[in-house]
Amino acid sequence: MSSEAVLSPALAAERHDGPRALALRYLAAMERRDLDAARGFVSEDAEFVFPGGARRSDLAAIVKGSSGRYRSIAKHIERCDLCEGGDGTATVYVLGSLYGQWPGGAAFSGIRFVDRFEIAGGLIRCQEVWNDSGEARLAAAGAPSSAPGPATTSSIRR
């Protein structure tokens, strides 16, 4: 994705400050399942949106929701981008890949993800998550991918 080193959220947080470090420290706390520490990074009315449109407002519900999808999951951070608003808000994009184990114990790695954080008043008020784990699960089950292949002249209709 970029020429930056691939790091854990905790190590990536050491390379940043401000809103980027806040988002990365939150991800590190969630990866450790340290919900008390993670709560210190989010506003009381924070909203979390996951693939498929699943919405959560409680960190324990996030962990419970992922427990049926993964035996373990962690992130390699490849890039962290910051967009600052004129009103003191910030949007942070964290990009990288997921690795871990499916519920049955099979290992996975290299699954792309993007986390988008809205930060205001020094706290996360929204996290939106996108990843390709659905595609990876289909591939692991031997199902054809729903991802479009490269366009060819014969595949383009006029």
Side-chain angles (χ1 to χ4, degrees), residues 24-130:
L24 291 163
R25 287 185 186 116
Y26 162 79
L27 290 175
M30 289 299 288
E31 194 168 281
R32 293 189 314 271
R33 298 302 192 235
D34 185 347
L35 301 186
D36 289 334
R39 280 185 194 95
F41 299 111
V42 301
S43 67
E44 287 185 21
D45 60 345
E47 182 177 39
F48 306 90
V49 184
F50 294 90
R55 294 180 179 273
R56 307 274 190 271
S57 58
D58 176 72
L59 299 182
I62 294 171
V63 172
K64 184 178 179 185
S66 71
S67 67
R69 294 174 184 254
Y70 313 102
R71 179 180 286 182
S72 67
I73 187 165
K75 295 181 177 187
H76 285 135
I77 306 302
E78 297 178 22
R79 196 169 88 214
C80 188
D81 298 333
L82 171 65
C83 301
E84 294 181 295
D87 59 357
T89 63
T91 303
V92 174
Y93 294 88
V94 179
L95 295 85
S97 61
L98 302 172
Y99 66 96
Q101 289 183 316
W102 299 119
F108 65 85
S109 64
I111 298 174
R112 298 179 310 165
F113 80 87
V114 175
D115 286 347
R116 178 187 180 274
F117 294 93
E118 293 177 15
I119 298 172
L123 295 172
I124 296 166
R125 67 179 179 198
C126 183
Q127 177 189 12
E128 294 177 279
V129 177
W130 293 273

